[in-house]
């Protein structure tokens, strides 16, 4: 079962895309967090457009590599990211960027690819944990070394790509098909730490997926400390 919710905050630049039976994959999920520099004449629209574009292009290019001779998933993901980044920069040369999570069900396993600072938690039967393969690429925007960006890995953002700190290099993790997964855009980190999230989960009497997302959405709004769009998705069951 897949249950999800989008909780916009001012800019509304997140997208969630779910597709069945796509080019050799039984399931494809994209969660993409778009960004456009405030004050652009087009307003918030470019951030939404880059999110939609990448949410569709990354799975398309990644699955095209399934029929290639490249067996290493990390190399496939890196080549895909570079192709997507190239196409995005042609359309949005500057001031527009995004980060994302892409999940593929392929041959009875779940392959998760991430670019940038996003949230991937895996359920081990007792608690959520973050896979060691998924890095944290958050930067302090007040730190001069960050060059004005709050993440070091992203698609687009041509105004920063000439600096060595930044790239679109992805992380990849493979997970058993039966394992339950929680995905979210990084706005959730303003509301929950992983410890808080596990405490929230532990206290729930009804942990069924639909109830979980409904109550999590309510709790996010109740805490009233959201600072960014938040998209949340659970795949599987945690009971």
């Amino acid at each position: 079962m897949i249950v999800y919710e989008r909780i916009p905050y001012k800019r509304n630049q997140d997208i969630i895309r779910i597709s069945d039976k796509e080019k050799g994959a039984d399931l494809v999920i994209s969660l993409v967090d778009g960004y456009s520099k405030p004050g652009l004449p087009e307003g918030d629209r470019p951030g939404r457009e880059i999110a939609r574009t990448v949410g569709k292009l990354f799975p398309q290019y990644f699955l095209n590599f399934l029929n290639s001779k490249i067996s290493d998933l990390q190399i496939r993901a890196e080549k895909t990211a570079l192709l997507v980044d190239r196409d995005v920069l042609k359309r949005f040369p500057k001031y527009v960027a995004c980060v994302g999570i892409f999940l593929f069900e392929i041959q009875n396993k779940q392959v998760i690819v991430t670019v940038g600072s996003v949230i991937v938690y895996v359920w081990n039967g007792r608690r959520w944990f973050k896979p060691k393969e998924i890095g944290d690429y958050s930067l302090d925007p007040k730190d001069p070394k960050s060059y004005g960006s709050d993440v070091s890995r992203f698609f687009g953002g041509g105004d920063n790509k000439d600096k060595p700190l930044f790239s679109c290099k992805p992380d990849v993790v493979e997970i058993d098909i039966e394992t339950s997964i929680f995905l979210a855009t990084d706005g959730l980190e303003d509301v929950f730490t992983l410890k808080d999230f596990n405490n929230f989960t532990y206290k729930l009497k009804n942990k069924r997926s639909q109830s979980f997302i409904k109550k999590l959405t309510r709790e996010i709004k109740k805490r009233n400390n959201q600072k960014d769009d938040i998209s949340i998705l659970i795949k599987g069951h945690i009971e």
Side-chain angles (χ1 to χ4, degrees), residues 5-179:
E5 185 65 71
R6 291 174 58 253
I7 311 168
Y9 180 81
K10 294 184 179 180
R11 308 200 72 186
N12 193 17
Q13 295 176 314
D14 282 5
I15 69 99
I16 298 175
R17 178 180 179 268
I18 300 173
S19 175
D20 294 324
K21 301 294 181 182
E22 188 171 335
K23 290 187 178 179
D26 293 323
L27 176 70
V28 177
I29 298 172
S30 299
L31 264 74
V32 186
D33 179 0
Y35 167 83
S36 53
K37 185 177 180 179
L40 292 181
E42 304 92 333
D44 298 331
R45 180 175 54 81
R48 288 189 286 272
E49 287 188 0
I50 192 175
R52 283 194 295 267
T53 299
V54 171
K56 184 176 180 179
L57 279 185
F58 193 96
Q60 177 184 327
Y61 289 168
F62 184 80
L63 292 172
N64 283 344
F65 279 115
L66 287 179
N67 296 321
S68 73
K69 295 180 180 179
I70 303 171
S71 59
D72 188 292
L73 287 173
Q74 180 68 41
I75 294 175
R76 285 182 188 172
E78 290 178 9
K79 287 182 175 292
T80 299
L82 289 172
L83 287 173
V84 172
D85 198 47
R86 176 202 65 189
D87 287 2
V88 162
L89 286 169
K90 287 179 181 178
R91 185 171 178 183
F92 308 101
K94 291 184 178 181
Y95 310 128
V96 184
C98 69
V99 297
I101 313 167
F102 311 94
L103 183 149
F104 305 88
E105 279 192 4
I106 303 171
Q107 297 176 349
N108 290 320
K109 62 184 176 183
Q110 301 178 90
V111 177
I112 299 176
V113 182
T114 66
V115 173
S117 182
V118 289
I119 294 170
V120 176
Y121 294 155
V122 177
W123 183 248
N124 69 0
R126 302 180 306 278
R127 63 180 177 86
W128 297 105
F129 70 94
K130 178 181 177 180
K132 66 182 187 306
E133 293 88 348
I134 306 298
D136 181 1
Y137 303 102
S138 300
L139 299 172
D140 182 354
K142 297 179 181 178
D143 184 345
K145 295 178 183 178
S146 72
Y147 304 97
S149 174
D150 59 0
V151 293
S152 62
R153 296 187 180 184
F154 47 80
F155 296 105
D159 42 311
N160 277 317
K161 277 289 176 62
D162 60 338
K163 299 161 187 170
L165 175 64
F166 300 108
S167 75
C168 61
K169 187 174 181 180
D171 291 332
V172 182
V173 60
E174 294 183 61
I175 297 171
D176 182 84
I177 194 71
E178 300 297 331
T179 301

Side-chain angles (χ1 to χ4, degrees), residues 156-221:
D159 42 311
N160 277 317
K161 277 289 176 62
D162 60 338
K163 299 161 187 170
L165 175 64
F166 300 108
S167 75
C168 61
K169 187 174 181 180
D171 291 332
V172 182
V173 60
E174 294 183 61
I175 297 171
D176 182 84
I177 194 71
E178 300 297 331
T179 301
S180 297
I181 294 169
F182 175 81
L183 310 176
T185 50
D186 67 351
L188 188 70
E189 293 177 328
D190 297 319
V191 184
F192 283 96
T193 64
L194 178 54
K195 182 178 180 180
D196 288 337
F197 193 70
N198 272 311
N199 286 338
F200 166 82
T201 303
Y202 178 76
K203 292 176 182 177
L204 289 179
K205 293 182 179 180
N206 183 352
K207 294 183 175 65
R208 292 184 181 274
S209 300
Q210 289 179 328
S211 178
F212 182 88
I213 289 296
K214 182 178 180 179
K215 291 178 180 178
L216 178 58
T217 300
R218 186 184 304 154
E219 181 67 17
I220 290 169
K221 293 178 178 179

